[in-house]
PDB file of all heavy atoms in Angstrom:
ATOM      1  N   LEU B 197      -1.015  17.374   3.694  1.00 98.00           N
ATOM      2  CA  LEU B 197      -1.206  18.165   4.861  1.00 98.00           C
ATOM      3  C   LEU B 197      -1.837  19.493   4.522  1.00 98.00           C
ATOM      4  O   LEU B 197      -1.234  20.274   3.789  1.00 98.00           O
ATOM      5  CB  LEU B 197       0.120  18.403   5.596  1.00 98.00           C
ATOM      6  CG  LEU B 197       0.973  17.103   5.907  1.00 98.00           C
ATOM      7  CD1 LEU B 197       2.249  17.493   6.683  1.00 98.00           C
ATOM      8  CD2 LEU B 197       0.146  16.050   6.614  1.00 98.00           C
ATOM      9  N   ILE B 272      -1.720  18.778  13.468  1.00 98.00           N
ATOM     10  CA  ILE B 272      -0.535  18.169  13.206  1.00 98.00           C
ATOM     11  C   ILE B 272       0.497  18.702  14.204  1.00 98.00           C
ATOM     12  O   ILE B 272       0.737  19.884  14.416  1.00 98.00           O
ATOM     13  CB  ILE B 272      -0.047  18.475  11.768  1.00 98.00           C
ATOM     14  CG1 ILE B 272      -1.011  17.915  10.790  1.00 98.00           C
ATOM     15  CG2 ILE B 272       1.374  17.825  11.484  1.00 98.00           C
ATOM     16  CD1 ILE B 272      -0.964  18.499   9.355  1.00 98.00           C
ATOM     17  N   THR B 273       1.263  17.752  14.844  1.00 98.00           N
ATOM     18  CA  THR B 273       2.274  18.244  15.882  1.00 98.00           C
ATOM     19  C   THR B 273       3.648  17.907  15.442  1.00 98.00           C
ATOM     20  O   THR B 273       4.606  18.463  15.995  1.00 98.00           O
ATOM     21  CB  THR B 273       1.958  17.528  17.266  1.00 98.00           C
ATOM     22  OG1 THR B 273       1.861  16.189  17.025  1.00 98.00           O
ATOM     23  CG2 THR B 273       0.663  18.091  17.803  1.00 98.00           C
ATOM     24  N   LYS B 274       3.818  16.988  14.526  1.00 98.00           N
ATOM     25  CA  LYS B 274       5.223  16.678  14.128  1.00 98.00           C
ATOM     26  C   LYS B 274       5.223  15.962  12.720  1.00 98.00           C
ATOM     27  O   LYS B 274       4.400  15.165  12.504  1.00 98.00           O
ATOM     28  CB  LYS B 274       5.862  15.725  15.139  1.00 98.00           C
ATOM     29  CG  LYS B 274       7.327  15.500  14.906  1.00 98.00           C
ATOM     30  CD  LYS B 274       7.937  14.624  16.022  1.00 98.00           C
ATOM     31  CE  LYS B 274       9.398  14.399  15.830  1.00 98.00           C
ATOM     32  NZ  LYS B 274       9.993  13.477  16.761  1.00 98.00           N
ATOM     33  N   VAL B 275       6.246  16.331  11.947  1.00 98.00           N
ATOM     34  CA  VAL B 275       6.487  15.577  10.714  1.00 98.00           C
ATOM     35  C   VAL B 275       7.858  14.846  11.032  1.00 98.00           C
ATOM     36  O   VAL B 275       8.865  15.541  11.218  1.00 98.00           O
ATOM     37  CB  VAL B 275       6.598  16.497   9.462  1.00 98.00           C
ATOM     38  CG1 VAL B 275       7.041  15.667   8.307  1.00 98.00           C
ATOM     39  CG2 VAL B 275       5.351  17.253   9.312  1.00 98.00           C
ATOM     40  N   ASP B 276       7.753  13.554  11.119  1.00 98.00           N
ATOM     41  CA  ASP B 276       8.998  12.758  11.471  1.00 98.00           C
ATOM     42  C   ASP B 276       9.546  12.109  10.207  1.00 98.00           C
ATOM     43  O   ASP B 276       9.016  11.125   9.685  1.00 98.00           O
ATOM     44  CB  ASP B 276       8.600  11.708  12.521  1.00 98.00           C
ATOM     45  CG  ASP B 276       9.816  11.026  13.079  1.00 98.00           C
ATOM     46  OD1 ASP B 276      10.906  11.017  12.453  1.00 98.00           O
ATOM     47  OD2 ASP B 276       9.757  10.563  14.205  1.00 98.00           O
ATOM     48  N   GLU B 277      10.594  12.735   9.754  1.00 97.00           N
ATOM     49  CA  GLU B 277      11.210  12.254   8.440  1.00 97.00           C
ATOM     50  C   GLU B 277      11.857  10.893   8.601  1.00 97.00           C
ATOM     51  O   GLU B 277      11.958  10.134   7.671  1.00 97.00           O
ATOM     52  CB  GLU B 277      12.218  13.253   7.931  1.00 97.00           C
ATOM     53  CG  GLU B 277      11.542  14.588   7.435  1.00 97.00           C
ATOM     54  CD  GLU B 277      12.516  15.420   6.760  1.00 97.00           C
ATOM     55  OE1 GLU B 277      12.785  15.269   5.501  1.00 97.00           O
ATOM     56  OE2 GLU B 277      13.149  16.319   7.401  1.00 97.00           O
ATOM     57  N   GLN B 281       6.454   9.492   9.240  1.00 98.00           N
ATOM     58  CA  GLN B 281       5.151   9.572   9.852  1.00 98.00           C
ATOM     59  C   GLN B 281       4.813  11.005  10.209  1.00 98.00           C
ATOM     60  O   GLN B 281       5.681  11.826  10.468  1.00 98.00           O
ATOM     61  CB  GLN B 281       5.204   8.807  11.167  1.00 98.00           C
ATOM     62  CG  GLN B 281       5.086   7.250  10.971  1.00 98.00           C
ATOM     63  CD  GLN B 281       5.057   6.498  12.241  1.00 98.00           C
ATOM     64  OE1 GLN B 281       5.743   6.898  13.269  1.00 98.00           O
ATOM     65  NE2 GLN B 281       4.291   5.421  12.335  1.00 98.00           N
ATOM     66  N   VAL B 282       3.535  11.292  10.239  1.00 98.00           N
ATOM     67  CA  VAL B 282       3.047  12.550  10.682  1.00 98.00           C
ATOM     68  C   VAL B 282       2.231  12.314  12.014  1.00 98.00           C
ATOM     69  O   VAL B 282       1.385  11.409  11.995  1.00 98.00           O
ATOM     70  CB  VAL B 282       2.155  13.227   9.620  1.00 98.00           C
ATOM     71  CG1 VAL B 282       1.361  14.430  10.183  1.00 98.00           C
ATOM     72  CG2 VAL B 282       2.994  13.677   8.410  1.00 98.00           C
ATOM     73  N   GLU B 283       2.585  13.060  13.039  1.00 98.00           N
ATOM     74  CA  GLU B 283       1.929  12.868  14.279  1.00 98.00           C
ATOM     75  C   GLU B 283       0.845  13.930  14.522  1.00 98.00           C
ATOM     76  O   GLU B 283       1.085  15.089  14.205  1.00 98.00           O
ATOM     77  CB  GLU B 283       2.993  12.896  15.408  1.00 98.00           C
ATOM     78  CG  GLU B 283       3.951  11.773  15.319  1.00 98.00           C
ATOM     79  CD  GLU B 283       4.993  11.781  16.463  1.00 98.00           C
ATOM     80  OE1 GLU B 283       4.807  12.462  17.454  1.00 98.00           O
ATOM     81  OE2 GLU B 283       6.037  11.115  16.243  1.00 98.00           O
ATOM     82  N   TYR B 292       3.432   7.807   5.725  1.00 98.00           N
ATOM     83  CA  TYR B 292       3.393   8.301   4.431  1.00 98.00           C
ATOM     84  C   TYR B 292       4.542   7.696   3.532  1.00 98.00           C
ATOM     85  O   TYR B 292       5.632   7.423   4.059  1.00 98.00           O
ATOM     86  CB  TYR B 292       3.462   9.841   4.389  1.00 98.00           C
ATOM     87  CG  TYR B 292       4.752  10.493   4.823  1.00 98.00           C
ATOM     88  CD1 TYR B 292       5.838  10.638   3.935  1.00 98.00           C
ATOM     89  CD2 TYR B 292       4.858  10.990   6.074  1.00 98.00           C
ATOM     90  CE1 TYR B 292       6.992  11.237   4.346  1.00 98.00           C
ATOM     91  CE2 TYR B 292       6.034  11.543   6.519  1.00 98.00           C
ATOM     92  CZ  TYR B 292       7.124  11.682   5.639  1.00 98.00           C
ATOM     93  OH  TYR B 292       8.295  12.302   6.022  1.00 98.00           O
ATOM     94  N   LEU B 295       4.631  12.614   0.734  1.00 98.00           N
ATOM     95  CA  LEU B 295       4.058  13.676   1.669  1.00 98.00           C
ATOM     96  C   LEU B 295       3.923  14.947   0.849  1.00 98.00           C
ATOM     97  O   LEU B 295       4.921  15.478   0.284  1.00 98.00           O
ATOM     98  CB  LEU B 295       4.976  13.883   2.812  1.00 98.00           C
ATOM     99  CG  LEU B 295       4.463  14.853   3.839  1.00 98.00           C
ATOM    100  CD1 LEU B 295       3.197  14.330   4.600  1.00 98.00           C
ATOM    101  CD2 LEU B 295       5.491  15.218   4.938  1.00 98.00           C
ATOM    102  N   LEU B 299       0.291  23.564   3.911  1.00 98.00           N
ATOM    103  CA  LEU B 299      -0.205  24.127   5.206  1.00 98.00           C
ATOM    104  C   LEU B 299      -0.289  25.590   5.224  1.00 98.00           C
ATOM    105  O   LEU B 299      -0.628  26.204   6.228  1.00 98.00           O
ATOM    106  CB  LEU B 299       0.714  23.621   6.341  1.00 98.00           C
ATOM    107  CG  LEU B 299       0.578  22.170   6.683  1.00 98.00           C
ATOM    108  CD1 LEU B 299       1.645  21.714   7.711  1.00 98.00           C
ATOM    109  CD2 LEU B 299      -0.868  21.867   7.288  1.00 98.00           C
ATOM    110  N   VAL B 446       4.686  24.049  12.817  1.00 98.00           N
ATOM    111  CA  VAL B 446       5.023  22.617  12.950  1.00 98.00           C
ATOM    112  C   VAL B 446       6.108  22.296  11.929  1.00 98.00           C
ATOM    113  O   VAL B 446       6.934  21.375  12.236  1.00 98.00           O
ATOM    114  CB  VAL B 446       3.750  21.767  12.734  1.00 98.00           C
ATOM    115  CG1 VAL B 446       3.205  21.831  11.294  1.00 98.00           C
ATOM    116  CG2 VAL B 446       4.077  20.262  13.099  1.00 98.00           C
ATOM    117  N   LEU B 447       6.179  22.957  10.804  1.00 98.00           N
ATOM    118  CA  LEU B 447       7.257  22.611   9.841  1.00 98.00           C
ATOM    119  C   LEU B 447       8.554  23.152  10.327  1.00 98.00           C
ATOM    120  O   LEU B 447       9.602  22.581  10.096  1.00 98.00           O
ATOM    121  CB  LEU B 447       6.857  23.254   8.464  1.00 98.00           C
ATOM    122  CG  LEU B 447       5.564  22.646   7.862  1.00 98.00           C
ATOM    123  CD1 LEU B 447       5.238  23.398   6.558  1.00 98.00           C
ATOM    124  CD2 LEU B 447       5.673  21.149   7.628  1.00 98.00           C
ATOM    125  N   SER B 450       9.682  20.866  13.140  1.00 97.00           N
ATOM    126  CA  SER B 450      10.080  19.568  12.627  1.00 97.00           C
ATOM    127  C   SER B 450      11.404  19.614  11.808  1.00 97.00           C
ATOM    128  O   SER B 450      11.865  18.625  11.295  1.00 97.00           O
ATOM    129  CB  SER B 450       8.960  18.997  11.713  1.00 97.00           C
ATOM    130  OG  SER B 450       7.788  18.817  12.424  1.00 97.00           O
ATOM    131  N   ILE B 452      12.017  21.183   9.006  1.00 96.00           N
ATOM    132  CA  ILE B 452      11.818  21.063   7.533  1.00 96.00           C
ATOM    133  C   ILE B 452      11.879  22.468   6.925  1.00 96.00           C
ATOM    134  O   ILE B 452      12.491  22.752   5.873  1.00 96.00           O
ATOM    135  CB  ILE B 452      10.592  20.366   7.146  1.00 96.00           C
ATOM    136  CG1 ILE B 452      10.542  18.961   7.738  1.00 96.00           C
ATOM    137  CG2 ILE B 452      10.412  20.275   5.608  1.00 96.00           C
ATOM    138  CD1 ILE B 452       9.208  18.296   7.702  1.00 96.00           C
ATOM    139  N   MET B 475       8.940  14.334  -0.742  1.00 98.00           N
ATOM    140  CA  MET B 475       8.187  15.467  -0.130  1.00 98.00           C
ATOM    141  C   MET B 475       7.968  16.586  -1.095  1.00 98.00           C
ATOM    142  O   MET B 475       8.910  16.965  -1.824  1.00 98.00           O
ATOM    143  CB  MET B 475       8.921  15.966   1.105  1.00 98.00           C
ATOM    144  CG  MET B 475       8.033  16.899   1.967  1.00 98.00           C
ATOM    145  SD  MET B 475       8.957  17.595   3.408  1.00 98.00           S
ATOM    146  CE  MET B 475       9.364  16.155   4.373  1.00 98.00           C
TER     147      MET B 475
END
Side-chain angles (χ1 to χ4, degrees):
Chain B
L197 307 185
I272 300 160
T273 52
K274 188 178 180 184
V275 177
D276 190 334
E277 290 188 85
Q281 284 182 323
V282 167
E283 296 178 18
Y292 67 83
L295 184 68
L299 287 171
V446 66
L447 300 176
S450 301
I452 301 167
M475 193 184 295

